[in-house]
Amino acid sequence: MHAAQLWELLLERLQNECGCSRAELAARLGSSEQELERWIAEGMLPVERLLRAFPQEAARALRDAVLGIPKRPPQGWRPSPQQPDVEAPVKEPWRSPALSDVQRRFLLECMIWAREFDLALIRLYRQGRVFGGVFAQIGNEATAVGTAYALRPTDPIFPMHRDIGAHFVRGQDLKALLATHFARQGSLTRGTDGTVHYADPARRIYGNISHLGAMLPVAVGYALAARLRGEDTVVLTYIGDGGAQTGEFHEAVNFAAVQRLPVVVVIENNQYAYSTPNQLEYACEFLADRALGYGCFGEVVDGTDVELVYDACRRAVERARAGEGPTLLETITFRVRGHAEHDDAGYVPEPIRRYWEARDPLQRYEQLLQRHGVLTAQQIEQLRQQIREQLRAAVEEVLARPYPPPEEAYRNVFIEPEADSQGH
Ligand SMILES: Cc1ncc(C[n+]2csc(CCOP(=O)(O)OP(=O)(O)O)c2C)c(N)n1
């Protein structure tokens, strides 16, 4: 990293983590402000003074800079799992310099689709219309949409059970999705699986493999195959905070780092793996900190801020495409519903729920777009109503379809052996 970039990182981090102004920084380094400005301008780093004045913060920032870890939220930003500060002010969402207002409207539309799709499925589940479980993604809209949008349409994605937003970014066929959940004709799994284990190779969507962690080696294998074929491809895959504690996660990330494969692993940290809270899942501060151990890039972002997520993922995709290897991108979010609709999530303490309610990704983005004149409240409401109407009509049509013929259950289960020359 260039000295000027290093200074930029240090200044940002020291300001965020220690609340240090330039004048205070100069004083703590035992220099004048003028001298500090000269050091910055000339790219001179008084490393010893920095480490003496800010032992932990400077060491961490320098270590991250050397390993290419560009960003980390300010200390104390993450709510304490035991005692979140319910009154903490909600940060103004980030505005990406890389997005136009047309793109912003598209992001919002995909997020509304994801939310409305879930709300409809929850209702239909209660009516006994849905086969299998409903794993609502509410709270994860910004993460799924922001990450998937950072790719080219030809790059493969391996979504998890809470990434329906990524499907909408890819223009997934609404009726095919509904047919899958209702096990009707036209289902992406031909009616053989009622949950979220569907793929759609035509849209370069692969996964989701049920066994936690098992999808990562497959995604990493895809990246290796693409490289061997000489394709210019970046693979995006997702894992939960619980899934990140499996052996397969470790093997896949290690292999990707060793091979410097073009992979972005989004760790959707929604605070709970089923009923197990973060503090009983792992002992490090951030899961993306593990990137140091693997020797790859790592970044932690607020997963409820869609443009922040998009920018972080875009950086990771650019690095991957440039041959710089994988990134662990940890997005901090909250699973608003239970693990699935059979689970009332009564184990989530009320203050935690309240903390995250104030950070609803959809509400934050809608307000941001209104404040900046991208859309009015009325236009957003109109969009939501249009989406609801399309959903209602699609549900009605798909529920009227027949179930797949029984023979479908036997297709793709066994490989039919080819007859030999004697007809055996
Ligand atoms: C090997 C294996 N064990 C258990 C399960 C059941 N299971 C599915 S999702 C899940 C919790 C996953 O938690 P996390 O990875 O944090 O994702 P989240 O559901 O919170 O999005 C469990 C225990 C499974 N699918 N595979």
Side-chain angles (χ1 to χ4, degrees):
M1 191 183 265
H2 193 269
Q5 285 172 295
L6 209 54
W7 260 120
E8 197 186 318
L9 177 84
L10 273 164
L11 292 170
E12 185 190 313
R13 294 274 287 267
L14 294 178
Q15 167 128 39
N16 273 339
E17 297 189 7
C18 313
C20 222
S21 67
R22 290 262 176 128
E24 282 164 337
L25 178 60
R28 284 180 65 173
L29 292 177
S31 73
S32 64
E33 264 191 86
Q34 218 177 5
E35 195 178 12
L36 174 64
E37 294 306 331
R38 189 174 59 80
W39 288 342
I40 295 171
E42 294 178 6
M44 281 168 52
L45 268 184
V47 175
E48 271 179 37
R49 289 196 208 199
L50 275 163
L51 288 175
R52 223 176 303 122
F54 305 94
Q56 278 179 12
E57 295 84 357
R60 215 158 55 182
L62 288 167
R63 177 201 67 182
D64 291 356
V66 169
L67 282 158
I69 296 183
K71 271 209 161 77
R72 191 189 165 91
Q75 236 175 13
W77 167 80
R78 184 183 177 192
S80 143
Q82 285 91 3
Q83 283 179 315
D85 179 3
V86 177
E87 306 303 328
V90 182
K91 246 187 118 183
E92 172 80 2
W94 174 251
R95 295 187 79 219
S96 165
L99 289 171
S100 69
D101 286 351
V102 173
Q103 291 174 303
R104 293 194 160 94
R105 273 181 229 132
F106 177 73
L107 292 180
L108 179 70
E109 198 177 321
C110 291
M111 288 168 72
I112 297 179
W113 266 112
R115 174 72 54 97
E116 293 298 324
F117 185 81
D118 266 5
L119 293 174
L121 272 193
I122 292 169
R123 281 194 302 274
L124 289 152
Y125 175 82
R126 290 187 182 150
Q127 294 166 15
R129 303 283 200 175
V130 175
F131 278 71
V134 169
F135 300 80
Q137 57 76 55
I138 297 175
N140 201 43
E141 291 87 352
T143 285
V145 170
T147 48
Y149 194 62
L151 289 178
R152 292 180 187 159
T154 47
D155 291 326
I157 53 174
F158 290 71
M160 286 284 281
H161 46 300
R162 305 200 200 276
D163 297 313
I164 196 74
H167 287 258
F168 286 114
V169 170
R170 281 286 156 103
Q172 183 54 274
D173 175 3
L174 174 64
K175 289 177 190 162
L177 284 178
L178 290 170
T180 309
H181 286 280
F182 302 152
R184 302 295 165 126
Q185 278 189 14
S187 144
L188 291 166
T189 56
R190 305 182 333 277
T192 56
D193 184 299
T195 57
V196 279
H197 308 122
Y198 36 72
D200 189 357
R203 290 186 172 78
R204 316 222 74 177
I205 299 176
Y206 302 92
N208 138 16
I209 296 168
S210 173
H211 289 57
L212 298 177
M215 195 165 73
L216 256 67
V218 179
V220 167
Y222 189 113
L224 179 64
R227 175 193 283 171
L228 293 174
R229 284 195 219 108
E231 290 171 10
D232 176 17
T233 296
V234 175
V235 176
L236 174 64
T237 185
Y238 301 83
I239 189 81
D241 41 283
Q245 314 315 322
T246 63
E248 285 147 314
F249 170 89
H250 163 70
E251 291 177 30
V253 177
N254 183 56
F255 184 76
V258 169
Q259 296 286 335
R260 290 168 84 92
L261 290 172
V263 180
V264 181
V265 178
V266 177
I267 306 176
E268 298 176 332
N269 189 344
N270 60 15
Q271 316 299 311
Y272 284 86
Y274 216 125
S275 56
T276 307
N278 273 184
Q279 66 270 25
L280 296 179
E281 292 179 73
Y282 56 89
C284 50
E285 190 185 356
F286 289 106
L287 290 169
D289 285 351
R290 293 178 182 172
L292 296 175
Y294 291 120
C296 66
F297 293 90
E299 190 164 345
V300 187
V301 287
D302 174 353
T304 67
D305 185 341
V306 66
E307 296 195 19
L308 191 69
V309 170
Y310 166 73
D311 267 357
C313 194
R314 196 166 50 90
R315 278 194 291 274
V317 169
E318 275 168 17
R319 282 193 298 263
R321 225 181 280 287
E324 293 179 41
T327 296
L328 292 183
L329 175 60
E330 182 178 359
T331 58
I332 312 284
T333 59
F334 179 62
R335 195 197 66 205
V336 173
R337 308 285 303 178
H339 174 65
E341 283 310 300
H342 60 266
D343 166 22
D344 71 0
Y347 43 81
V348 177
E350 202 43 40
I352 294 198
R353 195 166 282 292
R354 276 181 42 219
Y355 177 90
W356 288 101
E357 261 167 21
R359 287 155 183 82
D360 177 281
L362 214 53
Q363 217 175 43
R364 287 183 80 192
Y365 201 41
E366 286 178 17
Q367 286 167 357
L368 180 83
L369 296 192
Q370 285 174 50
R371 268 200 300 279
H372 290 276
V374 180
L375 285 167
T376 62
Q378 206 186 3
Q379 285 169 322
I380 294 174
E381 200 39 43
Q382 221 170 10
L383 180 62
R384 201 185 324 275
Q385 291 309 329
Q386 280 166 4
I387 287 174
R388 281 187 185 157
E389 180 47 34
Q390 283 182 55
L391 252 168
R392 195 201 54 73
V395 166
E396 198 178 295
E397 189 201 309
V398 176
L399 278 177
R401 289 185 193 172
Y403 292 113
E407 308 84 76
E408 278 291 354
Y410 298 105
R411 255 185 64 202
N412 293 356
V413 178
F414 301 105
I415 296 175
E416 295 299 332
E418 282 173 31
D420 62 21
S421 55
Q422 273 96 43
H424 296 119

